[in-house]
Short mmCIF file of all heavy atoms in Angstrom, two decimals:
data_model
loop_
_atom_site.label_atom_id
_atom_site.label_comp_id
_atom_site.label_asym_id
_atom_site.label_seq_id
_atom_site.Cartn_x
_atom_site.Cartn_y
_atom_site.Cartn_z
N MET A 29 84.30 88.11 98.83
CA MET A 29 85.66 87.82 98.42
C MET A 29 86.43 87.30 99.63
O MET A 29 86.11 87.63 100.76
CB MET A 29 86.31 89.06 97.82
CG MET A 29 86.66 90.14 98.81
SD MET A 29 87.45 91.52 98.01
CE MET A 29 87.09 92.76 99.21
N LYS A 30 87.45 86.52 99.34
CA LYS A 30 88.30 85.98 100.40
C LYS A 30 89.68 86.61 100.31
O LYS A 30 90.22 86.78 99.23
CB LYS A 30 88.43 84.47 100.27
CG LYS A 30 87.15 83.74 100.57
CD LYS A 30 87.35 82.25 100.48
CE LYS A 30 86.03 81.55 100.75
NZ LYS A 30 86.15 80.09 100.66
N VAL A 31 90.21 86.98 101.49
CA VAL A 31 91.57 87.50 101.57
C VAL A 31 92.36 86.68 102.58
O VAL A 31 91.80 86.17 103.56
CB VAL A 31 91.60 89.01 101.95
CG1 VAL A 31 90.91 89.83 100.88
CG2 VAL A 31 90.97 89.26 103.28
N GLN A 32 93.63 86.55 102.32
CA GLN A 32 94.53 85.84 103.23
C GLN A 32 95.16 86.87 104.15
O GLN A 32 95.75 87.85 103.67
CB GLN A 32 95.62 85.12 102.43
CG GLN A 32 96.60 84.34 103.27
CD GLN A 32 95.98 83.11 103.93
OE1 GLN A 32 95.02 82.55 103.45
NE2 GLN A 32 96.56 82.70 105.03
N VAL A 33 95.03 86.68 105.45
CA VAL A 33 95.58 87.62 106.43
C VAL A 33 96.74 86.94 107.14
O VAL A 33 96.60 85.82 107.65
CB VAL A 33 94.51 88.04 107.45
CG1 VAL A 33 95.08 89.03 108.46
CG2 VAL A 33 93.29 88.63 106.75
N ARG A 34 97.87 87.62 107.17
CA ARG A 34 99.06 87.12 107.85
C ARG A 34 99.43 88.08 108.98
O ARG A 34 99.25 89.29 108.84
CB ARG A 34 100.21 86.97 106.87
CG ARG A 34 99.93 86.00 105.76
CD ARG A 34 101.16 85.80 104.88
NE ARG A 34 100.84 84.98 103.74
CZ ARG A 34 100.78 83.65 103.76
NH1 ARG A 34 101.03 83.00 104.88
NH2 ARG A 34 100.49 82.97 102.68
N TYR A 35 99.93 87.51 110.06
CA TYR A 35 100.34 88.30 111.22
C TYR A 35 101.82 88.08 111.46
O TYR A 35 102.32 86.97 111.28
CB TYR A 35 99.54 87.88 112.46
CG TYR A 35 98.05 88.01 112.28
CD1 TYR A 35 97.26 86.88 112.08
CD2 TYR A 35 97.43 89.25 112.29
CE1 TYR A 35 95.89 86.99 111.92
CE2 TYR A 35 96.07 89.38 112.12
CZ TYR A 35 95.30 88.24 111.93
OH TYR A 35 93.94 88.36 111.75
N PHE A 36 102.49 89.13 111.92
CA PHE A 36 103.93 89.04 112.16
C PHE A 36 104.28 89.57 113.55
O PHE A 36 103.56 90.37 114.12
CB PHE A 36 104.70 89.82 111.09
CG PHE A 36 104.57 89.18 109.73
CD1 PHE A 36 103.57 89.55 108.86
CD2 PHE A 36 105.44 88.17 109.34
CE1 PHE A 36 103.43 88.95 107.62
CE2 PHE A 36 105.32 87.56 108.10
CZ PHE A 36 104.30 87.95 107.24
N ALA A 37 105.42 89.11 114.05
CA ALA A 37 105.99 89.53 115.33
C ALA A 37 104.99 89.26 116.47
O ALA A 37 104.45 88.17 116.54
CB ALA A 37 106.43 90.98 115.28
N ALA A 38 104.76 90.23 117.34
CA ALA A 38 103.89 90.03 118.51
C ALA A 38 102.47 89.70 118.10
O ALA A 38 101.78 88.95 118.81
CB ALA A 38 103.91 91.28 119.39
N LEU A 39 102.00 90.19 116.97
CA LEU A 39 100.65 89.88 116.51
C LEU A 39 100.54 88.40 116.17
O LEU A 39 99.52 87.76 116.45
CB LEU A 39 100.27 90.74 115.30
CG LEU A 39 99.85 92.17 115.60
CD1 LEU A 39 100.98 93.03 116.08
CD2 LEU A 39 99.19 92.77 114.40
N ARG A 40 101.59 87.85 115.59
CA ARG A 40 101.61 86.43 115.26
C ARG A 40 101.55 85.58 116.53
O ARG A 40 100.89 84.56 116.58
CB ARG A 40 102.87 86.11 114.46
CG ARG A 40 102.96 84.68 114.04
CD ARG A 40 104.26 84.42 113.28
NE ARG A 40 104.25 83.09 112.73
CZ ARG A 40 104.59 82.81 111.49
NH1 ARG A 40 104.97 83.75 110.67
NH2 ARG A 40 104.56 81.57 111.06
N GLU A 41 102.27 86.02 117.56
CA GLU A 41 102.26 85.29 118.82
C GLU A 41 100.86 85.27 119.43
O GLU A 41 100.45 84.30 120.04
CB GLU A 41 103.27 85.90 119.79
CG GLU A 41 104.70 85.71 119.36
CD GLU A 41 105.69 86.48 120.22
OE1 GLU A 41 105.33 86.89 121.35
OE2 GLU A 41 106.83 86.67 119.76
N ALA A 42 100.13 86.37 119.26
CA ALA A 42 98.80 86.48 119.85
C ALA A 42 97.71 85.82 119.01
O ALA A 42 96.76 85.25 119.55
CB ALA A 42 98.44 87.96 120.06
N LEU A 43 97.83 85.89 117.67
CA LEU A 43 96.73 85.47 116.80
C LEU A 43 97.04 84.28 115.90
O LEU A 43 96.15 83.77 115.22
CB LEU A 43 96.31 86.65 115.91
CG LEU A 43 95.85 87.91 116.64
CD1 LEU A 43 95.61 89.04 115.66
CD2 LEU A 43 94.62 87.61 117.47
N GLY A 44 98.29 83.84 115.88
CA GLY A 44 98.67 82.77 114.97
C GLY A 44 99.27 83.35 113.70
O GLY A 44 99.29 84.56 113.50
N ALA A 45 99.70 82.49 112.83
CA ALA A 45 100.42 82.93 111.63
C ALA A 45 99.51 83.53 110.57
O ALA A 45 99.87 84.52 109.94
CB ALA A 45 101.20 81.77 111.04
N ALA A 46 98.35 82.93 110.35
CA ALA A 46 97.51 83.38 109.23
C ALA A 46 96.09 82.87 109.38
O ALA A 46 95.82 81.94 110.13
CB ALA A 46 98.10 82.89 107.92
N GLU A 47 95.21 83.52 108.63
CA GLU A 47 93.82 83.07 108.53
C GLU A 47 93.22 83.63 107.25
O GLU A 47 93.74 84.58 106.66
CB GLU A 47 93.00 83.51 109.74
CG GLU A 47 92.88 85.01 109.93
CD GLU A 47 92.10 85.38 111.18
OE1 GLU A 47 90.95 84.94 111.32
OE2 GLU A 47 92.66 86.11 112.02
N THR A 48 92.14 83.03 106.81
CA THR A 48 91.40 83.51 105.65
C THR A 48 90.14 84.19 106.15
O THR A 48 89.45 83.68 107.02
CB THR A 48 91.04 82.34 104.71
OG1 THR A 48 92.26 81.71 104.29
CG2 THR A 48 90.28 82.83 103.49
N VAL A 49 89.85 85.37 105.59
CA VAL A 49 88.69 86.15 106.00
C VAL A 49 87.84 86.43 104.77
O VAL A 49 88.36 86.78 103.71
CB VAL A 49 89.11 87.47 106.68
CG1 VAL A 49 87.90 88.30 107.06
CG2 VAL A 49 89.98 87.19 107.90
N GLU A 50 86.53 86.28 104.91
CA GLU A 50 85.61 86.58 103.82
C GLU A 50 84.97 87.94 104.07
O GLU A 50 84.49 88.21 105.17
CB GLU A 50 84.55 85.49 103.72
CG GLU A 50 83.84 85.51 102.40
CD GLU A 50 83.19 84.17 102.06
OE1 GLU A 50 83.60 83.14 102.61
OE2 GLU A 50 82.28 84.21 101.23
N LEU A 51 84.99 88.78 103.05
CA LEU A 51 84.47 90.15 103.15
C LEU A 51 83.63 90.47 101.92
O LEU A 51 83.80 89.85 100.87
CB LEU A 51 85.63 91.15 103.19
CG LEU A 51 86.58 91.09 104.37
CD1 LEU A 51 87.84 91.86 104.07
CD2 LEU A 51 85.89 91.66 105.59
N PRO A 52 82.75 91.47 102.03
CA PRO A 52 81.99 91.90 100.86
C PRO A 52 82.91 92.54 99.81
O PRO A 52 83.92 93.15 100.17
CB PRO A 52 81.01 92.95 101.40
CG PRO A 52 81.06 92.84 102.87
CD PRO A 52 82.35 92.18 103.24
N ALA A 53 82.55 92.43 98.55
CA ALA A 53 83.31 93.07 97.48
C ALA A 53 83.39 94.57 97.75
O ALA A 53 82.46 95.16 98.29
CB ALA A 53 82.64 92.81 96.13
N GLY A 54 84.52 95.16 97.41
CA GLY A 54 84.71 96.59 97.60
C GLY A 54 85.21 96.98 98.98
O GLY A 54 85.34 98.16 99.27
N SER A 55 85.52 96.00 99.81
CA SER A 55 86.02 96.30 101.16
C SER A 55 87.43 96.88 101.11
O SER A 55 88.18 96.67 100.16
CB SER A 55 86.03 95.03 102.02
OG SER A 55 84.72 94.59 102.26
N THR A 56 87.78 97.59 102.15
CA THR A 56 89.11 98.21 102.28
C THR A 56 89.89 97.53 103.40
O THR A 56 89.33 96.73 104.17
CB THR A 56 88.98 99.70 102.63
OG1 THR A 56 88.33 99.80 103.90
CG2 THR A 56 88.20 100.45 101.57
N LEU A 57 91.16 97.90 103.51
CA LEU A 57 91.96 97.41 104.63
C LEU A 57 91.34 97.81 105.96
O LEU A 57 91.32 97.03 106.91
CB LEU A 57 93.39 97.95 104.55
CG LEU A 57 94.34 97.22 103.62
CD1 LEU A 57 95.63 98.01 103.48
CD2 LEU A 57 94.62 95.83 104.12
N GLY A 58 90.82 99.02 106.05
CA GLY A 58 90.17 99.49 107.27
C GLY A 58 88.94 98.66 107.62
O GLY A 58 88.71 98.33 108.78
N ALA A 59 88.17 98.28 106.60
CA ALA A 59 86.98 97.44 106.83
C ALA A 59 87.41 96.05 107.33
O ALA A 59 86.75 95.47 108.20
CB ALA A 59 86.15 97.32 105.57
N LEU A 60 88.50 95.55 106.80
CA LEU A 60 89.03 94.26 107.26
C LEU A 60 89.44 94.37 108.73
O LEU A 60 89.08 93.50 109.54
CB LEU A 60 90.22 93.82 106.41
CG LEU A 60 91.02 92.63 106.94
CD1 LEU A 60 90.15 91.38 107.05
CD2 LEU A 60 92.23 92.38 106.06
N ARG A 61 90.16 95.41 109.06
CA ARG A 61 90.57 95.59 110.46
C ARG A 61 89.35 95.70 111.36
O ARG A 61 89.30 95.09 112.44
CB ARG A 61 91.46 96.83 110.60
CG ARG A 61 92.09 96.97 111.97
CD ARG A 61 93.10 98.08 111.99
NE ARG A 61 93.69 98.23 113.31
CZ ARG A 61 94.58 99.15 113.61
NH1 ARG A 61 95.00 100.00 112.68
NH2 ARG A 61 95.07 99.24 114.83
N ASP A 62 88.32 96.45 110.94
CA ASP A 62 87.09 96.56 111.73
C ASP A 62 86.42 95.20 111.91
O ASP A 62 85.92 94.88 112.99
CB ASP A 62 86.11 97.53 111.07
CG ASP A 62 86.57 98.97 111.16
OD1 ASP A 62 87.43 99.30 112.02
OD2 ASP A 62 86.08 99.79 110.35
N GLU A 63 86.42 94.39 110.86
CA GLU A 63 85.83 93.05 110.92
C GLU A 63 86.59 92.20 111.95
O GLU A 63 85.98 91.48 112.75
CB GLU A 63 85.90 92.39 109.55
CG GLU A 63 85.43 90.96 109.50
CD GLU A 63 83.93 90.79 109.64
OE1 GLU A 63 83.19 91.74 109.35
OE2 GLU A 63 83.50 89.70 110.05
N LEU A 64 87.89 92.28 111.95
CA LEU A 64 88.69 91.52 112.91
C LEU A 64 88.49 92.05 114.33
O LEU A 64 88.39 91.26 115.27
CB LEU A 64 90.17 91.57 112.51
CG LEU A 64 90.50 90.88 111.18
CD1 LEU A 64 91.92 91.20 110.74
CD2 LEU A 64 90.29 89.38 111.28
N LEU A 65 88.39 93.36 114.49
CA LEU A 65 88.14 93.95 115.81
C LEU A 65 86.80 93.49 116.38
O LEU A 65 86.67 93.25 117.58
CB LEU A 65 88.16 95.48 115.73
CG LEU A 65 89.52 96.13 115.56
CD1 LEU A 65 89.37 97.60 115.21
CD2 LEU A 65 90.35 95.96 116.82
N ALA A 66 85.82 93.36 115.51
CA ALA A 66 84.47 92.97 115.95
C ALA A 66 84.44 91.55 116.52
O ALA A 66 83.51 91.20 117.25
CB ALA A 66 83.49 93.09 114.78
N ARG A 67 85.44 90.76 116.24
CA ARG A 67 85.50 89.40 116.80
C ARG A 67 85.73 89.44 118.31
O ARG A 67 85.48 88.47 118.99
CB ARG A 67 86.63 88.61 116.15
CG ARG A 67 86.37 88.30 114.70
CD ARG A 67 87.50 87.51 114.14
NE ARG A 67 87.23 87.15 112.75
CZ ARG A 67 88.04 86.44 112.01
NH1 ARG A 67 89.19 86.00 112.51
NH2 ARG A 67 87.73 86.15 110.77
N GLY A 68 86.28 90.55 118.80
CA GLY A 68 86.55 90.66 120.23
C GLY A 68 87.79 89.86 120.61
O GLY A 68 88.58 89.47 119.76
N GLY A 69 87.94 89.62 121.89
CA GLY A 69 89.05 88.81 122.40
C GLY A 69 90.41 89.34 122.00
O GLY A 69 90.66 90.54 122.01
N ARG A 70 91.28 88.42 121.64
CA ARG A 70 92.67 88.77 121.29
C ARG A 70 92.73 89.68 120.06
O ARG A 70 93.57 90.56 119.98
CB ARG A 70 93.51 87.51 121.05
CG ARG A 70 93.65 86.61 122.26
CD ARG A 70 94.43 87.24 123.38
NE ARG A 70 95.85 87.26 123.03
CZ ARG A 70 96.75 88.04 123.61
NH1 ARG A 70 96.39 88.86 124.56
NH2 ARG A 70 97.99 88.00 123.25
N HIS A 71 91.84 89.44 119.07
CA HIS A 71 91.84 90.30 117.89
C HIS A 71 91.61 91.76 118.30
O HIS A 71 92.30 92.66 117.84
CB HIS A 71 90.74 89.87 116.90
CG HIS A 71 91.10 88.67 116.10
ND1 HIS A 71 90.86 87.39 116.54
CD2 HIS A 71 91.66 88.55 114.87
CE1 HIS A 71 91.27 86.53 115.63
NE2 HIS A 71 91.76 87.21 114.60
N ALA A 72 90.64 91.99 119.17
CA ALA A 72 90.32 93.35 119.61
C ALA A 72 91.47 93.96 120.41
O ALA A 72 91.72 95.15 120.32
CB ALA A 72 89.04 93.35 120.45
N GLU A 73 92.18 93.14 121.15
CA GLU A 73 93.30 93.64 121.95
C GLU A 73 94.47 94.08 121.08
O GLU A 73 94.96 95.20 121.20
CB GLU A 73 93.80 92.56 122.91
CG GLU A 73 92.88 92.27 124.06
CD GLU A 73 93.43 91.13 124.92
OE1 GLU A 73 94.67 91.02 125.08
OE2 GLU A 73 92.61 90.34 125.41
N VAL A 74 94.93 93.21 120.20
CA VAL A 74 96.17 93.49 119.47
C VAL A 74 95.97 94.38 118.24
O VAL A 74 96.93 95.01 117.79
CB VAL A 74 96.93 92.19 119.09
CG1 VAL A 74 97.31 91.41 120.33
CG2 VAL A 74 96.14 91.35 118.13
N LEU A 75 94.74 94.45 117.71
CA LEU A 75 94.48 95.28 116.54
C LEU A 75 93.71 96.55 116.88
O LEU A 75 93.26 97.28 116.00
CB LEU A 75 93.71 94.48 115.49
CG LEU A 75 94.43 93.28 114.90
CD1 LEU A 75 93.50 92.47 114.01
CD2 LEU A 75 95.66 93.71 114.13
N ALA A 76 93.56 96.85 118.17
CA ALA A 76 92.75 97.99 118.62
C ALA A 76 93.18 99.29 117.96
O ALA A 76 94.36 99.52 117.70
CB ALA A 76 92.85 98.12 120.13
N ARG A 77 92.19 100.13 117.70
CA ARG A 77 92.47 101.48 117.18
C ARG A 77 93.31 102.21 118.23
O ARG A 77 93.10 102.06 119.42
CB ARG A 77 91.17 102.24 116.92
CG ARG A 77 90.30 101.61 115.88
CD ARG A 77 90.92 101.75 114.52
NE ARG A 77 90.08 101.09 113.52
CZ ARG A 77 90.49 100.85 112.31
NH1 ARG A 77 91.70 101.21 111.95
NH2 ARG A 77 89.70 100.26 111.45
N GLY A 78 94.26 102.96 117.81
CA GLY A 78 95.15 103.64 118.75
C GLY A 78 96.43 102.89 118.99
O GLY A 78 97.41 103.45 119.45
N ARG A 79 96.44 101.60 118.68
CA ARG A 79 97.69 100.82 118.77
C ARG A 79 98.43 100.95 117.46
O ARG A 79 97.83 101.02 116.40
CB ARG A 79 97.39 99.35 119.04
CG ARG A 79 96.84 99.13 120.44
CD ARG A 79 96.88 97.71 120.83
NE ARG A 79 98.28 97.27 120.91
CZ ARG A 79 98.67 96.25 121.62
NH1 ARG A 79 97.80 95.56 122.32
NH2 ARG A 79 99.93 95.90 121.66
N ALA A 80 99.73 100.99 117.56
CA ALA A 80 100.56 101.11 116.35
C ALA A 80 100.58 99.77 115.62
O ALA A 80 101.22 98.83 116.07
CB ALA A 80 101.96 101.54 116.73
N VAL A 81 99.84 99.71 114.54
CA VAL A 81 99.79 98.50 113.70
C VAL A 81 99.95 98.96 112.26
O VAL A 81 99.24 99.84 111.79
CB VAL A 81 98.45 97.75 113.87
CG1 VAL A 81 98.37 96.57 112.92
CG2 VAL A 81 98.27 97.28 115.31
N ARG A 82 100.89 98.37 111.56
CA ARG A 82 101.11 98.66 110.15
C ARG A 82 100.40 97.59 109.32
O ARG A 82 100.16 96.48 109.80
CB ARG A 82 102.60 98.62 109.82
CG ARG A 82 103.41 99.58 110.63
CD ARG A 82 103.40 100.92 109.98
NE ARG A 82 104.37 101.78 110.64
CZ ARG A 82 104.11 103.01 111.00
NH1 ARG A 82 102.93 103.52 110.77
NH2 ARG A 82 105.01 103.73 111.59
N CYS A 83 100.10 97.92 108.07
CA CYS A 83 99.50 96.91 107.20
C CYS A 83 100.10 97.01 105.81
O CYS A 83 100.53 98.07 105.37
CB CYS A 83 97.99 97.01 107.18
SG CYS A 83 97.31 98.63 106.92
N ALA A 84 100.12 95.86 105.17
CA ALA A 84 100.61 95.77 103.80
C ALA A 84 99.58 95.00 102.99
O ALA A 84 98.93 94.09 103.48
CB ALA A 84 101.95 95.04 103.76
N LEU A 85 99.44 95.41 101.73
CA LEU A 85 98.54 94.75 100.80
C LEU A 85 99.39 94.22 99.66
O LEU A 85 100.10 94.99 99.00
CB LEU A 85 97.50 95.74 100.29
CG LEU A 85 96.57 95.26 99.18
CD1 LEU A 85 95.79 94.02 99.62
CD2 LEU A 85 95.62 96.37 98.77
N ASP A 86 99.34 92.91 99.47
CA ASP A 86 100.15 92.27 98.43
C ASP A 86 101.61 92.71 98.52
O ASP A 86 102.24 93.08 97.53
CB ASP A 86 99.57 92.54 97.05
CG ASP A 86 98.18 91.91 96.89
OD1 ASP A 86 97.94 90.84 97.51
OD2 ASP A 86 97.35 92.48 96.17
N GLN A 87 102.14 92.70 99.73
CA GLN A 87 103.54 92.96 100.05
C GLN A 87 103.98 94.40 99.80
O GLN A 87 105.17 94.67 99.64
CB GLN A 87 104.46 91.97 99.34
CG GLN A 87 104.15 90.53 99.72
CD GLN A 87 105.07 89.54 99.08
OE1 GLN A 87 106.02 89.88 98.40
NE2 GLN A 87 104.80 88.27 99.30
N ALA A 88 103.04 95.33 99.80
CA ALA A 88 103.36 96.76 99.68
C ALA A 88 102.68 97.50 100.82
O ALA A 88 101.48 97.31 101.06
CB ALA A 88 102.89 97.31 98.34
N MET A 89 103.43 98.33 101.55
CA MET A 89 102.85 99.11 102.62
C MET A 89 101.65 99.87 102.10
O MET A 89 101.70 100.44 101.00
CB MET A 89 103.88 100.09 103.18
CG MET A 89 105.07 99.44 103.84
SD MET A 89 104.62 98.51 105.31
CE MET A 89 104.11 99.83 106.37
N SER A 90 100.55 99.87 102.87
CA SER A 90 99.31 100.48 102.39
C SER A 90 98.58 101.18 103.52
O SER A 90 98.74 100.82 104.69
CB SER A 90 98.39 99.41 101.79
OG SER A 90 99.01 98.78 100.69
N GLU A 91 97.77 102.16 103.15
CA GLU A 91 96.89 102.85 104.08
C GLU A 91 95.59 102.06 104.21
O GLU A 91 95.25 101.26 103.33
CB GLU A 91 96.59 104.26 103.57
CG GLU A 91 97.82 105.13 103.42
CD GLU A 91 98.46 105.46 104.76
OE1 GLU A 91 97.72 105.64 105.75
OE2 GLU A 91 99.70 105.55 104.80
N GLU A 92 94.85 102.31 105.27
CA GLU A 92 93.60 101.57 105.49
C GLU A 92 92.53 101.86 104.44
O GLU A 92 91.59 101.11 104.30
CB GLU A 92 93.07 101.84 106.89
CG GLU A 92 93.90 101.15 107.96
CD GLU A 92 93.20 101.07 109.30
OE1 GLU A 92 92.01 101.41 109.41
OE2 GLU A 92 93.86 100.65 110.25
N ALA A 93 92.69 102.91 103.66
CA ALA A 93 91.73 103.23 102.60
C ALA A 93 91.93 102.38 101.35
O ALA A 93 91.10 102.40 100.44
CB ALA A 93 91.82 104.70 102.24
N ALA A 94 93.02 101.60 101.30
CA ALA A 94 93.31 100.78 100.12
C ALA A 94 92.23 99.72 99.91
O ALA A 94 91.81 99.05 100.85
CB ALA A 94 94.67 100.11 100.28
N ALA A 95 91.80 99.60 98.67
CA ALA A 95 90.76 98.62 98.32
C ALA A 95 91.35 97.22 98.23
O ALA A 95 92.44 97.02 97.67
CB ALA A 95 90.12 99.01 97.00
N LEU A 96 90.61 96.26 98.75
CA LEU A 96 91.01 94.85 98.68
C LEU A 96 90.43 94.21 97.43
O LEU A 96 89.48 94.72 96.84
CB LEU A 96 90.52 94.11 99.91
CG LEU A 96 91.04 94.61 101.25
CD1 LEU A 96 90.34 93.88 102.39
CD2 LEU A 96 92.55 94.41 101.33
N HIS A 97 90.98 93.08 97.04
CA HIS A 97 90.46 92.30 95.92
C HIS A 97 90.47 90.84 96.33
O HIS A 97 91.15 90.44 97.28
CB HIS A 97 91.32 92.54 94.67
CG HIS A 97 92.76 92.16 94.87
ND1 HIS A 97 93.23 90.88 94.67
CD2 HIS A 97 93.82 92.89 95.27
CE1 HIS A 97 94.52 90.84 94.94
NE2 HIS A 97 94.91 92.06 95.30
N ASP A 98 89.69 90.05 95.63
CA ASP A 98 89.62 88.62 95.93
C ASP A 98 91.02 88.02 95.80
O ASP A 98 91.73 88.27 94.82
CB ASP A 98 88.65 87.93 94.98
CG ASP A 98 88.38 86.50 95.41
OD1 ASP A 98 88.14 86.27 96.61
OD2 ASP A 98 88.42 85.59 94.55
N GLY A 99 91.43 87.27 96.80
CA GLY A 99 92.73 86.63 96.80
C GLY A 99 93.86 87.51 97.31
O GLY A 99 95.02 87.09 97.27
N ALA A 100 93.54 88.69 97.79
CA ALA A 100 94.57 89.60 98.29
C ALA A 100 95.29 88.99 99.49
O ALA A 100 94.72 88.20 100.24
CB ALA A 100 93.95 90.94 98.70
N GLU A 101 96.56 89.37 99.64
CA GLU A 101 97.33 88.99 100.82
C GLU A 101 97.54 90.25 101.66
O GLU A 101 98.09 91.22 101.17
CB GLU A 101 98.68 88.41 100.43
CG GLU A 101 99.51 88.03 101.64
CD GLU A 101 100.91 87.59 101.27
OE1 GLU A 101 101.72 88.45 100.87
OE2 GLU A 101 101.17 86.39 101.37
N VAL A 102 97.06 90.19 102.88
CA VAL A 102 97.17 91.32 103.80
C VAL A 102 98.07 90.90 104.96
O VAL A 102 97.93 89.80 105.48
CB VAL A 102 95.78 91.74 104.33
CG1 VAL A 102 95.91 92.82 105.39
CG2 VAL A 102 94.89 92.19 103.19
N ALA A 103 98.98 91.79 105.34
CA ALA A 103 99.84 91.52 106.48
C ALA A 103 99.65 92.62 107.52
O ALA A 103 99.56 93.80 107.17
CB ALA A 103 101.29 91.48 106.03
N PHE A 104 99.54 92.23 108.77
CA PHE A 104 99.50 93.16 109.89
C PHE A 104 100.73 92.92 110.75
O PHE A 104 101.07 91.77 111.04
CB PHE A 104 98.25 92.94 110.76
CG PHE A 104 96.97 93.38 110.11
CD1 PHE A 104 96.08 92.47 109.61
CD2 PHE A 104 96.65 94.74 110.03
CE1 PHE A 104 94.88 92.87 109.02
CE2 PHE A 104 95.46 95.15 109.45
CZ PHE A 104 94.57 94.22 108.95
N PHE A 105 101.38 94.01 111.16
CA PHE A 105 102.60 93.87 111.96
C PHE A 105 102.85 95.16 112.73
O PHE A 105 102.38 96.23 112.34
CB PHE A 105 103.81 93.52 111.08
CG PHE A 105 103.96 94.40 109.88
CD1 PHE A 105 104.76 95.52 109.92
CD2 PHE A 105 103.30 94.10 108.70
CE1 PHE A 105 104.91 96.32 108.82
CE2 PHE A 105 103.43 94.91 107.58
CZ PHE A 105 104.23 96.02 107.65
N PRO A 106 103.59 95.07 113.84
CA PRO A 106 103.92 96.28 114.59
C PRO A 106 104.99 97.06 113.84
O PRO A 106 105.68 96.52 112.97
CB PRO A 106 104.46 95.74 115.92
CG PRO A 106 104.95 94.37 115.60
CD PRO A 106 104.09 93.86 114.48
N PRO A 107 105.12 98.35 114.16
CA PRO A 107 106.20 99.14 113.53
C PRO A 107 107.54 98.49 113.83
O PRO A 107 107.74 97.92 114.90
CB PRO A 107 106.10 100.50 114.21
CG PRO A 107 104.76 100.54 114.84
CD PRO A 107 104.36 99.13 115.12
N VAL A 108 108.43 98.60 112.89
CA VAL A 108 109.75 97.99 113.03
C VAL A 108 110.78 99.11 113.15
O VAL A 108 110.73 100.08 112.40
CB VAL A 108 110.07 97.11 111.81
CG1 VAL A 108 111.46 96.51 111.94
CG2 VAL A 108 109.02 96.03 111.65
N THR A 109 111.69 98.95 114.10
CA THR A 109 112.77 99.91 114.22
C THR A 109 114.08 99.18 113.99
O THR A 109 114.20 97.99 114.27
CB THR A 109 112.80 100.58 115.60
OG1 THR A 109 112.96 99.57 116.61
CG2 THR A 109 111.52 101.36 115.85
N GLY A 110 115.02 99.87 113.46
CA GLY A 110 116.32 99.27 113.20
C GLY A 110 117.36 99.83 114.15
O GLY A 110 117.11 100.74 114.92
N GLY A 111 118.51 99.27 114.10
CA GLY A 111 119.56 99.77 114.96
C GLY A 111 120.90 99.31 114.52
O GLY A 111 121.12 98.62 113.62
#
């Protein structure tokens, strides 16, 4: 299945605005993050485990256990604070 991945804020500056990723059926947000981490380089730096990164699935905040579907839109972004 193919999912559209979008990056925001500092992640966008490091990785670009968006990319399409192909994953096996039944994959989760966590599996997608692992796939991106395995690429190494900038992906591994900005999406590293232990770094504060939020994710959304189809524009709804989601946990990494959330199941993906073909055509899903995933967003990765740093935590946002208001003031």
